[in-house]
Amino acid sequence: MRFVPVTCEQRERMLASIGVPSVDALFAPIPDEARLGRPIALPDGLSEVELAAELEALAAQDVSGLVSFAGGGCYDHYVPAIVDAGGSKPAFCTAYPPYQPEVSQGTLQAIYEYQSMVCALTGMDVANASVYDGATALAEAALMAARVTRRERVVVSGAVHPEWREVLRTYARGGTIEVVEMPVFDGVTDLDALGGLAEGAAAVIVASPNFFGCIEDVRAACACAHDAGALAVVAVNPIMLGVMEGPGALGADIVVGEGQPLGNPVSFGGPGLGIFAAREQFLRQMPGRIVGRTVDVDGRPGFVLTMQTREQHIRREKATSNICSNHSLNALAAAVYLAAVGSRGLAGIARACLAKARYLHDALLQTGRFEPFSSAPFAHEFALRYLGDVASMQAALLKRGYLAGVDAGRIDDGLARVVIFAVTEKRTKAQIDAFVEEVASL
Amino acid sequence: MSEVAARRDLGRLIFETGAPESACVEPPELDVPDVDPASAFGDAVRQSPLMLPHVTEGEIARHYERLARLNFGVDTGFYPLGSCTMKHNPKIAERACRLDGFAGIHPYQPEETVQGALRLMHGLQEALAELSGLPAVTLQPAAGAHGELAGLLVIRAYHESRGDARRRVLIPDSAHGTNPATVAMCGYEVTQVPSDERGGVDVAALRDALGPDVAAIMLTNPNTLGLFDENVMEVTRLVHEAGALAYYDGANLNAIMGKVRPGDMGFDAVHINLHKTFGTPHGGGGPGAGPVCVTQALAEFLPDPVVAKEGDRFSFVRPARSIGRLRSFSGNFGVLVRAYAYIRGVGGDGLAEVSEQAVLSANYLMARLKGVYDLPYDRSCMHEFVLSAARLRRAHGVRTLDIAKRLLDFGVHPPTVYFPLIVDEALMIEPTETESLETLDAFADAMLAIAREAERDPELLHGAPYTTPVRRLDEARAVKEPDLAWRPRTPDAHEEA
């Protein structure tokens, strides 16, 4: 495929106008010793027909369309048709970040509305335009808490997704924060152990629902953080906020989350979006882009990127983060999704997930193949201990067209035989019954 | 008429559309026993009213169509935004990433069920290794800045593994703001290195700045002035002699494909912005992707995971002394699919043409404009160049911002302005290879017309733009009176209605 519209004859004219004999002359500053001196060793280009066939063949090597009970931070919710129709328009896709607000009101207003919806969901005052994903949102929250409190130690619950905790440790390699983990008891954070750990900490970080799907005592965790002078950081699942209280009302200072469940496909784990919201008093320490509403010179309403003195292009090494983008298209999809489902729809979807997860949980226990992992209440996801070999169980069910949960032992060595099941509104009773029957027959 | 419709409801929010009883998508009828959330969640159950919009599908369709019409994208018109490589985004790539075999696979599916995705990722790793001249590749970083973080943490881990504690990173004064911000996140200090009179790294100043505590230099070449640094081999040699490593910001890779590779210039690590060079859409801010390529010596420190090939089977592996994960799962896969599609479609021969045409088009525009606008470094440029409006400012009180805003009235997106910081009243112009000569000429004509307007009627420029949906916005007010989220005036009334 070729996307260069300039013709050979035009190239000659352009060279003449520049006053050089050849295109090569323009590359004269490249020292000889560094030059490639051979063609690029990649296959020649393809026509669109050939390319489409090759990509379709690659995609066909993947097994899609499985009946999925897998979650673990990436969820198979229904994506309404309006999400792609509204959010993937070329004028949104092919635009740069909205640094010229006069011709970027579409992106800006859409992101302002996204921020508004995130505030509504989380019960927080301010939200940014999104960051890369939930895990990096969590790491950024820890760095922000360290700036706010001028402390270094962050205390993270061992029930936070193992990959998110690992990302936090990677971000800590720069030496600006130190990460300590809170023990887990019966599938939830052991808050009795928190008191001592929180002392002198910058942040206390919990997720609810947590990696095991269990509901944490967010109010108590926040109170414990505040008693120690730390910020309370709470990770959420945005769908479940349809029926769960926003952490803002429970004492959270920063709320983060993975926004993929809101209208974004699973897409092998990316791109999703990192939800990031905070109390207004911490606004100037927030990372990432923020859109604000204002007026133009004629008094017409309009939107701009604002509070930019926090950001790298102004503040350089003193910026609140090096982030220079947001997951704008994914945030747009999330906004269209939330508009499409509305308050009642989101509550209904969350409630369906809750009921179906409970239904599957009870049915799986009845097969006698599992034992409980936790006695804590759970939302749309739950962990069970399998009384056999998880890998062969999953392989057998895969052959029958099921993605039988997430093998937690593959993600965290300490969780051997623990399987985490997620159930979305897409799963029907018939599918769940058939799945349980297959499990029972193993 | 459509433009009129788009502007009529300017600023009207989706929250202010529709009626409380309206809905677009309802969940299906519950087919299992209901569970009362209050019984499940106790005091974590939602008690505060949830204030999301209530609209029909038709209202949503119109709302976002209206917003799209207020936007300017590459599909709208010329977008010569320097350092951003706003080239055409191929449509086949948009279709490819939506194929069910790509969009519909879960990150924790067994590897034998995602061999197509892994094969694609491996193929992209190989292509990037060939283009960068560096053998080991991670596709994990979600953006260029995220790639910088990965690269610098890898460099830090390398030094630490040798018991070599270093604390400073050198950055030229022309560098992008993410470079120093990344240095700070990695716990290093920034030492700025001045540019010489030709716009390159001042080698004498570099010698002075180097020392046993320097961990790395971060460099873009061609640099943010659009100039290729002829001393680059000397620069990387001096850096290595000091025991430091050389990091290459791949923002400007679109200039050099087929001509020279970062690895061959002596760089140890490079991030590549797939959303620039490989035509994946910028999306009004993202998602992009910022894969990192490194030398064999750094390979064992790369973030987890990378894709490995054994026989005909592909799998994720964790490098031996990995810095760990930098995000959840394996990367912005949807963006990787698009970039792979671009590289396969355009091909090795086509990529070489891409860089040649990008450089030719930039030089052509520079030649057309340099008599009227100041050219601070008068030598052939690479894929972009930087002009200065300093003379127009002195003579007529017209600033770069005024020129940028006036360009909007000509139907052109302005270049990058006030960057790099070392050029007064900078205008950074990158036409890319996907623009026709006719488009380039129309832009040059507009720039020349604006220069004449500046002479004749500076006030006209101060007031620009005039034809856009909104005119200049009050940014000071946005900061002084932050309005960052819509809130219902009377929440109770909204809920009861």
Side-chain angles (χ1 to χ4, degrees), chain A residues 309-330:
Chain A
T309 53
R310 302 165 298 112
E311 292 184 65
Q312 49 74 31
H313 59 287
I314 311 266
R315 196 58 75 80
R316 299 176 78 84
E317 66 265 32
K318 294 193 174 61
T320 55
S321 169
N322 75 339
I323 195 165
C324 174
S325 57
N326 63 324
H327 274 197
S328 205
L329 282 182
N330 307 96

PDB file of all heavy atoms in Angstrom, chain A residues 309-330:
ATOM      1  N   THR A 309       0.033  23.928  34.144  1.00  0.00           N
ATOM      2  CA  THR A 309       1.325  24.140  34.815  1.00  0.00           C
ATOM      3  C   THR A 309       1.735  22.923  35.635  1.00  0.00           C
ATOM      4  O   THR A 309       2.828  22.886  36.167  1.00  0.00           O
ATOM      5  CB  THR A 309       1.279  25.367  35.730  1.00  0.00           C
ATOM      6  OG1 THR A 309       0.161  25.229  36.596  1.00  0.00           O
ATOM      7  CG2 THR A 309       1.152  26.643  34.935  1.00  0.00           C
ATOM      8  N   ARG A 310       0.876  21.907  35.729  1.00  0.00           N
ATOM      9  CA  ARG A 310       1.276  20.656  36.369  1.00  0.00           C
ATOM     10  C   ARG A 310       2.087  19.787  35.423  1.00  0.00           C
ATOM     11  O   ARG A 310       2.706  18.821  35.832  1.00  0.00           O
ATOM     12  CB  ARG A 310       0.037  19.839  36.783  1.00  0.00           C
ATOM     13  CG  ARG A 310      -0.926  20.509  37.727  1.00  0.00           C
ATOM     14  CD  ARG A 310      -2.249  19.748  37.753  1.00  0.00           C
ATOM     15  NE  ARG A 310      -2.874  19.759  36.421  1.00  0.00           N
ATOM     16  CZ  ARG A 310      -3.012  18.691  35.660  1.00  0.00           C
ATOM     17  NH1 ARG A 310      -2.648  17.518  36.093  1.00  0.00           N
ATOM     18  NH2 ARG A 310      -3.547  18.785  34.454  1.00  0.00           N
ATOM     19  N   GLU A 311       2.020  20.072  34.122  1.00  0.00           N
ATOM     20  CA  GLU A 311       2.391  19.070  33.120  1.00  0.00           C
ATOM     21  C   GLU A 311       3.792  19.250  32.555  1.00  0.00           C
ATOM     22  O   GLU A 311       4.388  20.322  32.641  1.00  0.00           O
ATOM     23  CB  GLU A 311       1.352  19.075  31.995  1.00  0.00           C
ATOM     24  CG  GLU A 311      -0.009  18.570  32.466  1.00  0.00           C
ATOM     25  CD  GLU A 311      -1.017  18.479  31.343  1.00  0.00           C
ATOM     26  OE1 GLU A 311      -0.808  17.662  30.441  1.00  0.00           O
ATOM     27  OE2 GLU A 311      -2.004  19.242  31.371  1.00  0.00           O
ATOM     28  N   GLN A 312       4.283  18.168  31.943  1.00  0.00           N
ATOM     29  CA  GLN A 312       5.680  18.100  31.517  1.00  0.00           C
ATOM     30  C   GLN A 312       6.061  19.144  30.472  1.00  0.00           C
ATOM     31  O   GLN A 312       7.193  19.599  30.462  1.00  0.00           O
ATOM     32  CB  GLN A 312       6.018  16.687  31.021  1.00  0.00           C
ATOM     33  CG  GLN A 312       5.046  16.079  30.018  1.00  0.00           C
ATOM     34  CD  GLN A 312       5.141  16.652  28.624  1.00  0.00           C
ATOM     35  OE1 GLN A 312       6.212  17.055  28.207  1.00  0.00           O
ATOM     36  NE2 GLN A 312       4.019  16.704  27.914  1.00  0.00           N
ATOM     37  N   HIS A 313       5.124  19.528  29.598  1.00  0.00           N
ATOM     38  CA  HIS A 313       5.514  20.464  28.542  1.00  0.00           C
ATOM     39  C   HIS A 313       5.746  21.868  29.106  1.00  0.00           C
ATOM     40  O   HIS A 313       6.366  22.698  28.460  1.00  0.00           O
ATOM     41  CB  HIS A 313       4.516  20.468  27.386  1.00  0.00           C
ATOM     42  CG  HIS A 313       3.113  20.839  27.775  1.00  0.00           C
ATOM     43  ND1 HIS A 313       2.295  19.982  28.474  1.00  0.00           N
ATOM     44  CD2 HIS A 313       2.401  21.958  27.567  1.00  0.00           C
ATOM     45  CE1 HIS A 313       1.118  20.576  28.660  1.00  0.00           C
ATOM     46  NE2 HIS A 313       1.165  21.769  28.126  1.00  0.00           N
ATOM     47  N   ILE A 314       5.243  22.127  30.318  1.00  0.00           N
ATOM     48  CA  ILE A 314       5.492  23.418  30.964  1.00  0.00           C
ATOM     49  C   ILE A 314       6.547  23.249  32.062  1.00  0.00           C
ATOM     50  O   ILE A 314       7.525  23.987  32.133  1.00  0.00           O
ATOM     51  CB  ILE A 314       4.199  23.958  31.637  1.00  0.00           C
ATOM     52  CG1 ILE A 314       3.022  23.898  30.667  1.00  0.00           C
ATOM     53  CG2 ILE A 314       4.434  25.336  32.244  1.00  0.00           C
ATOM     54  CD1 ILE A 314       2.735  25.117  29.887  1.00  0.00           C
ATOM     55  N   ARG A 315       6.320  22.270  32.938  1.00  0.00           N
ATOM     56  CA  ARG A 315       7.093  22.168  34.164  1.00  0.00           C
ATOM     57  C   ARG A 315       8.331  21.275  34.034  1.00  0.00           C
ATOM     58  O   ARG A 315       9.138  21.198  34.929  1.00  0.00           O
ATOM     59  CB  ARG A 315       6.166  21.652  35.272  1.00  0.00           C
ATOM     60  CG  ARG A 315       6.670  21.821  36.684  1.00  0.00           C
ATOM     61  CD  ARG A 315       6.979  23.262  37.066  1.00  0.00           C
ATOM     62  NE  ARG A 315       5.789  24.040  37.299  1.00  0.00           N
ATOM     63  CZ  ARG A 315       5.072  24.020  38.419  1.00  0.00           C
ATOM     64  NH1 ARG A 315       5.409  23.244  39.411  1.00  0.00           N
ATOM     65  NH2 ARG A 315       4.021  24.790  38.541  1.00  0.00           N
ATOM     66  N   ARG A 316       8.445  20.545  32.945  1.00  0.00           N
ATOM     67  CA  ARG A 316       9.590  19.648  32.691  1.00  0.00           C
ATOM     68  C   ARG A 316       9.891  18.770  33.907  1.00  0.00           C
ATOM     69  O   ARG A 316       8.985  18.076  34.353  1.00  0.00           O
ATOM     70  CB  ARG A 316      10.783  20.465  32.192  1.00  0.00           C
ATOM     71  CG  ARG A 316      10.404  21.176  30.862  1.00  0.00           C
ATOM     72  CD  ARG A 316      11.440  22.079  30.309  1.00  0.00           C
ATOM     73  NE  ARG A 316      12.530  21.374  29.617  1.00  0.00           N
ATOM     74  CZ  ARG A 316      12.504  20.974  28.348  1.00  0.00           C
ATOM     75  NH1 ARG A 316      11.414  21.160  27.620  1.00  0.00           N
ATOM     76  NH2 ARG A 316      13.542  20.376  27.797  1.00  0.00           N
ATOM     77  N   GLU A 317      11.099  18.779  34.462  1.00  0.00           N
ATOM     78  CA  GLU A 317      11.409  17.785  35.506  1.00  0.00           C
ATOM     79  C   GLU A 317      10.624  18.004  36.789  1.00  0.00           C
ATOM     80  O   GLU A 317      10.628  17.134  37.668  1.00  0.00           O
ATOM     81  CB  GLU A 317      12.914  17.711  35.784  1.00  0.00           C
ATOM     82  CG  GLU A 317      13.545  18.945  36.389  1.00  0.00           C
ATOM     83  CD  GLU A 317      14.165  19.849  35.324  1.00  0.00           C
ATOM     84  OE1 GLU A 317      13.640  19.888  34.182  1.00  0.00           O
ATOM     85  OE2 GLU A 317      15.160  20.519  35.645  1.00  0.00           O
ATOM     86  N   LYS A 318       9.931  19.127  36.925  1.00  0.00           N
ATOM     87  CA  LYS A 318       9.123  19.346  38.118  1.00  0.00           C
ATOM     88  C   LYS A 318       7.644  19.014  37.876  1.00  0.00           C
ATOM     89  O   LYS A 318       6.788  19.279  38.717  1.00  0.00           O
ATOM     90  CB  LYS A 318       9.263  20.797  38.589  1.00  0.00           C
ATOM     91  CG  LYS A 318      10.679  21.111  39.068  1.00  0.00           C
ATOM     92  CD  LYS A 318      10.746  22.443  39.819  1.00  0.00           C
ATOM     93  CE  LYS A 318      12.124  22.662  40.407  1.00  0.00           C
ATOM     94  NZ  LYS A 318      13.187  22.718  39.346  1.00  0.00           N
ATOM     95  N   ALA A 319       7.339  18.414  36.760  1.00  0.00           N
ATOM     96  CA  ALA A 319       5.953  18.061  36.427  1.00  0.00           C
ATOM     97  C   ALA A 319       5.432  16.986  37.378  1.00  0.00           C
ATOM     98  O   ALA A 319       6.205  16.271  38.015  1.00  0.00           O
ATOM     99  CB  ALA A 319       5.890  17.553  34.988  1.00  0.00           C
ATOM    100  N   THR A 320       4.096  16.870  37.481  1.00  0.00           N
ATOM    101  CA  THR A 320       3.507  15.872  38.365  1.00  0.00           C
ATOM    102  C   THR A 320       3.659  14.461  37.798  1.00  0.00           C
ATOM    103  O   THR A 320       3.496  13.477  38.517  1.00  0.00           O
ATOM    104  CB  THR A 320       2.014  16.148  38.620  1.00  0.00           C
ATOM    105  OG1 THR A 320       1.347  16.233  37.352  1.00  0.00           O
ATOM    106  CG2 THR A 320       1.823  17.454  39.366  1.00  0.00           C
ATOM    107  N   SER A 321       3.930  14.353  36.484  1.00  0.00           N
ATOM    108  CA  SER A 321       4.148  13.055  35.843  1.00  0.00           C
ATOM    109  C   SER A 321       4.803  13.332  34.500  1.00  0.00           C
ATOM    110  O   SER A 321       4.779  14.459  34.014  1.00  0.00           O
ATOM    111  CB  SER A 321       2.818  12.338  35.630  1.00  0.00           C
ATOM    112  OG  SER A 321       2.997  11.213  34.785  1.00  0.00           O
ATOM    113  N   ASN A 322       5.365  12.277  33.893  1.00  0.00           N
ATOM    114  CA  ASN A 322       5.876  12.473  32.530  1.00  0.00           C
ATOM    115  C   ASN A 322       4.780  12.210  31.497  1.00  0.00           C
ATOM    116  O   ASN A 322       5.028  12.331  30.306  1.00  0.00           O
ATOM    117  CB  ASN A 322       7.098  11.562  32.279  1.00  0.00           C
ATOM    118  CG  ASN A 322       6.713  10.104  32.081  1.00  0.00           C
ATOM    119  OD1 ASN A 322       5.645   9.678  32.496  1.00  0.00           O
ATOM    120  ND2 ASN A 322       7.598   9.339  31.465  1.00  0.00           N
ATOM    121  N   ILE A 323       3.592  11.864  31.934  1.00  0.00           N
ATOM    122  CA  ILE A 323       2.545  11.484  30.977  1.00  0.00           C
ATOM    123  C   ILE A 323       2.229  12.655  30.060  1.00  0.00           C
ATOM    124  O   ILE A 323       2.158  13.798  30.488  1.00  0.00           O
ATOM    125  CB  ILE A 323       1.280  10.931  31.672  1.00  0.00           C
ATOM    126  CG1 ILE A 323       0.385  10.227  30.658  1.00  0.00           C
ATOM    127  CG2 ILE A 323       0.533  12.044  32.410  1.00  0.00           C
ATOM    128  CD1 ILE A 323      -0.675   9.343  31.284  1.00  0.00           C
ATOM    129  N   CYS A 324       2.042  12.335  28.790  1.00  0.00           N
ATOM    130  CA  CYS A 324       1.949  13.354  27.753  1.00  0.00           C
ATOM    131  C   CYS A 324       0.762  13.032  26.861  1.00  0.00           C
ATOM    132  O   CYS A 324       0.646  13.517  25.765  1.00  0.00           O
ATOM    133  CB  CYS A 324       3.269  13.306  26.995  1.00  0.00           C
ATOM    134  SG  CYS A 324       3.455  14.294  25.569  1.00  0.00           S
ATOM    135  N   SER A 325      -0.095  12.128  27.327  1.00  0.00           N
ATOM    136  CA  SER A 325      -1.228  11.691  26.521  1.00  0.00           C
ATOM    137  C   SER A 325      -2.332  11.240  27.459  1.00  0.00           C
ATOM    138  O   SER A 325      -2.155  11.238  28.677  1.00  0.00           O
ATOM    139  CB  SER A 325      -0.811  10.521  25.612  1.00  0.00           C
ATOM    140  OG  SER A 325      -0.299   9.454  26.379  1.00  0.00           O
ATOM    141  N   ASN A 326      -3.451  10.878  26.909  1.00  0.00           N
ATOM    142  CA  ASN A 326      -4.454  10.155  27.672  1.00  0.00           C
ATOM    143  C   ASN A 326      -5.032   9.104  26.732  1.00  0.00           C
ATOM    144  O   ASN A 326      -4.689   9.086  25.548  1.00  0.00           O
ATOM    145  CB  ASN A 326      -5.541  11.090  28.224  1.00  0.00           C
ATOM    146  CG  ASN A 326      -6.327  11.771  27.123  1.00  0.00           C
ATOM    147  OD1 ASN A 326      -5.783  12.128  26.080  1.00  0.00           O
ATOM    148  ND2 ASN A 326      -7.612  11.958  27.342  1.00  0.00           N
ATOM    149  N   HIS A 327      -5.831   8.218  27.249  1.00  0.00           N
ATOM    150  CA  HIS A 327      -6.447   7.245  26.349  1.00  0.00           C
ATOM    151  C   HIS A 327      -7.792   7.803  25.917  1.00  0.00           C
ATOM    152  O   HIS A 327      -8.854   7.333  26.294  1.00  0.00           O
ATOM    153  CB  HIS A 327      -6.529   5.874  27.013  1.00  0.00           C
ATOM    154  CG  HIS A 327      -5.277   5.080  26.841  1.00  0.00           C
ATOM    155  ND1 HIS A 327      -5.202   3.732  27.027  1.00  0.00           N
ATOM    156  CD2 HIS A 327      -4.030   5.466  26.462  1.00  0.00           C
ATOM    157  CE1 HIS A 327      -3.958   3.315  26.774  1.00  0.00           C
ATOM    158  NE2 HIS A 327      -3.243   4.350  26.441  1.00  0.00           N
ATOM    159  N   SER A 328      -7.676   8.848  25.089  1.00  0.00           N
ATOM    160  CA  SER A 328      -8.825   9.678  24.754  1.00  0.00           C
ATOM    161  C   SER A 328      -9.934   8.898  24.052  1.00  0.00           C
ATOM    162  O   SER A 328     -11.103   9.039  24.395  1.00  0.00           O
ATOM    163  CB  SER A 328      -8.337  10.829  23.861  1.00  0.00           C
ATOM    164  OG  SER A 328      -9.179  11.923  23.956  1.00  0.00           O
ATOM    165  N   LEU A 329      -9.553   8.078  23.069  1.00  0.00           N
ATOM    166  CA  LEU A 329     -10.589   7.331  22.341  1.00  0.00           C
ATOM    167  C   LEU A 329     -11.293   6.339  23.259  1.00  0.00           C
ATOM    168  O   LEU A 329     -12.493   6.113  23.131  1.00  0.00           O
ATOM    169  CB  LEU A 329      -9.968   6.566  21.170  1.00  0.00           C
ATOM    170  CG  LEU A 329      -9.629   7.354  19.918  1.00  0.00           C
ATOM    171  CD1 LEU A 329      -9.068   6.414  18.866  1.00  0.00           C
ATOM    172  CD2 LEU A 329     -10.853   8.089  19.386  1.00  0.00           C
ATOM    173  N   ASN A 330     -10.538   5.755  24.173  1.00  0.00           N
ATOM    174  CA  ASN A 330     -11.140   4.801  25.105  1.00  0.00           C
ATOM    175  C   ASN A 330     -12.013   5.519  26.125  1.00  0.00           C
ATOM    176  O   ASN A 330     -13.059   5.014  26.535  1.00  0.00           O
ATOM    177  CB  ASN A 330     -10.050   3.997  25.807  1.00  0.00           C
ATOM    178  CG  ASN A 330      -9.106   3.355  24.813  1.00  0.00           C
ATOM    179  OD1 ASN A 330      -8.046   3.896  24.515  1.00  0.00           O
ATOM    180  ND2 ASN A 330      -9.503   2.243  24.248  1.00  0.00           N
TER     181      ASN A 330
END
